[in-house]
Amino acid sequence: MTARAGALGLAAALAVALALPFVVSNFRLFQFTQVGVYAIALLGLNVLTGYNGQISLGHGAFYALGAYTTAILIDHWNVPYPLTIIAAGVLCLVAGFLFGIPALRLEGLYLALATFALALAIPQILKYFEHWTGGSQGIVLSKPAPPWGMKASPDQWLYYFTLAVLVILFVLARNLLAGRTGRAIVAIRDNPIAAQAMGVNTALYKSLTFGVSAAYTGVAGALSAIVIAFVAPDAFNVFLSITFLTGVVIGGLASISGAIFGALFIQFVPNWAQDISKAAPWAIYGVFLIGFMYVMPFGIAGALRRVAARAARRGTAARA
Amino acid sequence: MPAPGTPILSVRDLTVRFGGIVALDGVSFDVSEGQIVGLIGPNGAGKTTLFNCLSRLYTPQRGDISFRDRSLLALPAHRIAELGIGRTFQNLALFPTLTVLQNVMVGVHARTRSDFLSNALRLPWVRREEEETRERARELLAFLDLEVLAAHPAAGLPFGTLKRVELARALASRPALLLVDEPAGGLNHEEVGALAALLRVIRERRGVTILLVEHHMGLVMQISDTVVVLDFGRKIAEGPPARVQRDPEVIRAYLGVDEPAGARR
Ligand SMILES: Nc1ncnc2c1ncn2[C@@H]1O[C@H](COP(=O)(O)OP(=O)(O)O)[C@@H](O)[C@H]1O
Ligand SMILES: [Mg+2]
């Protein structure tokens, strides 16, 4: 019953997503593209933190790595932008896997601190390699034109392009998490000793999960560079990493759809807060945050699941 | 399958220290193929520590463990299940957020091969593997009378039920040797009777050798072929139940001087 509700919800969401460019302004559409980009980043972080139980306060660093990979490849070598996204994903996969190895020695808050250090360091590292990164000025790109002589604005094209990447990555993540690998990933979070006793190579799985997580976030960063057509080091500050973690928790830990809800939250709620009070938008945002966590302790996805389950029960009761 | 009577497991001179505590002190014994071996001893005798050595969660300071003539000490913990050693945990070590079915499916992990990439792509052979995993887990749920709980999260079920889920999960890897740590904990008289029958069926029909740690003397004495007794980390007796029960050293160390062996709980 809830499975059918989920399938219906998914179909509806896809229909809305496909129709969106015809009903909203170019600026709004750009914001929704950003939601798609964030959703990919949040899904990556959620695989690591929600499913595998490794807390990262530094995923902004992988987002930056992906963004700069794309920007540098386009700016210096004119590499076609779809290829740069793949390159960013692969590079972040390797970087995440390598970071995941020393991270094996760190649990919980200690891992959070180590990743936090990564987030702290990244803007300055980017400024340091000025020749490649353009220093504080960053790199300006141009928005790609739609291919195949499509009659669409660049913003419309980038929206659909991002949506396509998002759908592919969400399907892959769902497959990964639904089967043998996903069970092992969650088993490690729930009880690492028992997981080991069942034959799960916990060290390898944790490092690989870190790699996959970083790859998703890196692809999101690469997309953001293309969508915004600009990268600069100060956009990838500590606050970005914390925003990602906020999005994951608000959307719903260990939930795939939660990544979408979390992305909507981190994209739009700061704007609403701004609309409500120009003087103290972050205070308003803070109230929103606390309110959400109070009303939906398992995130938006968790709350929806509960509503669907209740409706299903009522449905069966009514028929009985 | 090797002939009954050949040792499937040999523990030699096993010694484990935790700081000043000697948890195991030069323990040696064999487990023969097809046997049920009871491992008993007062609380703190070192039984669980021995299990943890067998599953490579602990590394002994001295001694060796060989399983089918292969030393376990060269292997990491996650390679033990695929060799054919399954176990349950005294204080439960389930995956609370996974369903009962999924818990048992994790037990099949050691017998399946699909990896991150093939899972993400959901290749046809991965789908088949997943189907077989589910089938095997369902069969074990039926065997242990857990079918109705398949979709229930492991968290929140009664202790005795969770013990059975652990047993199902341990059997899922098709072990040749099963280590069970106090399976009768929290069971009533009738349930203990059913457990005895169940362990026998596991041995007879599934050909599984069993090493059983248990405080319930009735159960141990009833189903074990051999009993090994530990006290303060040292092996103080070994032999058929009837003989061990009469062993003065065992009576003194384990059961209290005037108490006959059968009387404890
Ligand atoms: N991880 C550990 N760290 C320190 N001491 C331990 C550890 N595991 C077991 N011990 C100690 O080793 C001794 C044997 O414990 P255990 O093997 O659990 O006994 P049993 O299972 O026979 O009741 C006890 O004194 C216990 O406190
Ligand atoms: Mg014990």
Side-chain angles (χ1 to χ4, degrees), chain B residues 35-55:
Chain B
Q35 276 200 331
I36 295 180
V37 173
L39 182 63
I40 62 171
N43 271 325
K47 308 175 297 289
T48 298
T49 301
L50 182 85
F51 270 22
N52 286 340
C53 289
L54 295 177
S55 24

Side-chain angles (χ1 to χ4, degrees), chain A residues 59-92:
Chain A
H59 258 45
F62 297 109
Y63 193 77
L65 188 58
Y68 270 89
T69 303
T70 280
I72 291 171
L73 286 177
I74 293 175
D75 189 44
H76 285 247
W77 287 292
N78 264 322
V79 179
Y81 65 93
L83 292 184
T84 69
I85 295 173
I86 296 170
V90 171
L91 187 70
C92 287

Side-chain angles (χ1 to χ4, degrees), chain B residues 241-253:
Chain B
R243 205 171 74 212
V244 166
Q245 244 167 330
R246 286 192 311 268
D247 191 306
E249 178 104 13
V250 175
I251 294 171
R252 189 168 51 247

Side-chain angles (χ1 to χ4, degrees), chain B residues 43-44 46-49 90-91 181-182 213 215:
Chain B
N43 271 325
K47 308 175 297 289
T48 298
T49 301
Q90 179 179 347
N91 296 315
D181 202 344
E182 303 200 13
V213 166
H215 276 306

Side-chain angles (χ1 to χ4, degrees), chain B residues 26-170:
Chain B
V27 172
S28 303
F29 66 95
D30 284 344
V31 175
S32 297
E33 188 94 40
Q35 276 200 331
I36 295 180
V37 173
L39 182 63
I40 62 171
N43 271 325
K47 308 175 297 289
T48 298
T49 301
L50 182 85
F51 270 22
N52 286 340
C53 289
L54 295 177
S55 24
R56 292 293 292 116
L57 298 173
Y58 293 167
T59 299
Q61 274 84 16
R62 211 178 62 217
D64 195 14
I65 304 163
S66 48
F67 177 74
R68 289 179 163 161
D69 297 324
R70 177 169 183 185
S71 173
L72 294 185
L73 297 186
L75 297 171
H78 66 87
R79 296 284 310 281
I80 299 302
E82 80 191 62
L83 284 192
I85 303 179
R87 77 167 286 181
T88 68
F89 292 81
Q90 179 179 347
N91 296 315
L92 296 178
L94 285 160
F95 310 116
T97 65
L98 295 181
T99 65
V100 166
L101 180 69
Q102 285 170 329
N103 266 278
V104 180
M105 287 173 83
V106 176
V108 190
H109 189 92
R111 292 281 170 252
T112 41
R113 289 282 77 91
S114 64
D115 54 17
F116 274 63
L117 187 62
S118 56
N119 264 266
L121 298 175
R122 218 158 160 255
L123 300 174
W125 68 269
V126 173
R127 253 178 273 180
R128 266 198 307 280
E129 185 188 85
E130 181 76 1
E131 222 20 74
E132 284 160 15
T133 300
R134 188 180 308 274
E135 269 310 297
R136 170 139 190 81
R138 286 212 174 275
E139 184 255 322
L140 283 163
L141 290 189
F143 177 57
L144 287 161
D145 219 5
L146 291 164
E147 279 164 305
V148 290
L149 296 174
H152 196 290
L157 291 170
F159 191 78
T161 307
L162 293 177
K163 283 252 158 196
R164 263 185 302 147
V165 177
E166 274 217 344
L167 202 51
R169 186 181 67 175

Side-chain angles (χ1 to χ4, degrees), chain A residues 142-312:
Chain A
S142 52
K143 280 196 185 180
W148 313 303
M150 268 171 68
K151 281 210 240 33
S153 71
D155 280 329
Q156 283 171 331
W157 161 244
L158 282 175
Y159 172 83
Y160 281 121
F161 182 75
T162 303
L163 185 62
V165 175
L166 178 140
V167 168
I168 292 169
L169 289 181
F170 269 59
V171 169
L172 291 179
R174 197 213 56 163
N175 291 347
L176 181 75
L177 293 167
R180 175 183 190 257
T181 331
R183 278 190 300 275
I185 287 172
V186 175
I188 290 170
R189 178 197 71 193
D190 275 10
N191 193 327
I193 304 264
Q196 239 177 353
M198 296 306 125
V200 178
N201 185 344
T202 50
L204 180 67
Y205 263 71
K206 283 172 85 170
S207 312
L208 279 173
T209 304
F210 216 116
V212 168
S213 167
Y216 269 66
T217 305
V219 165
L223 280 168
S224 85
I226 294 164
V227 169
I228 302 173
F230 176 58
V231 292
D234 291 324
F236 305 105
N237 56 16
V238 169
F239 195 73
L240 179 68
S241 293
I242 300 197
T243 302
F244 285 162
L245 199 63
T246 308
V248 165
V249 175
I250 290 286
L253 284 163
S255 152
I256 292 178
S257 62
I260 309 268
F261 302 125
L264 287 165
F265 185 93
I266 63 177
Q267 172 65 32
F268 289 115
V269 172
N271 293 351
W272 291 340
Q274 189 89 41
D275 290 344
I276 293 168
S277 161
K278 290 265 179 301
W282 291 115
I284 303 283
Y285 184 72
V287 170
F288 266 117
L289 259 187
I290 293 169
F292 261 88
M293 281 187 298
Y294 189 74
V295 179
M296 309 181 190
F298 297 100
I300 301 171
L304 286 179
R305 246 196 321 270
R306 203 176 292 176
V307 169
R310 199 171 307 157

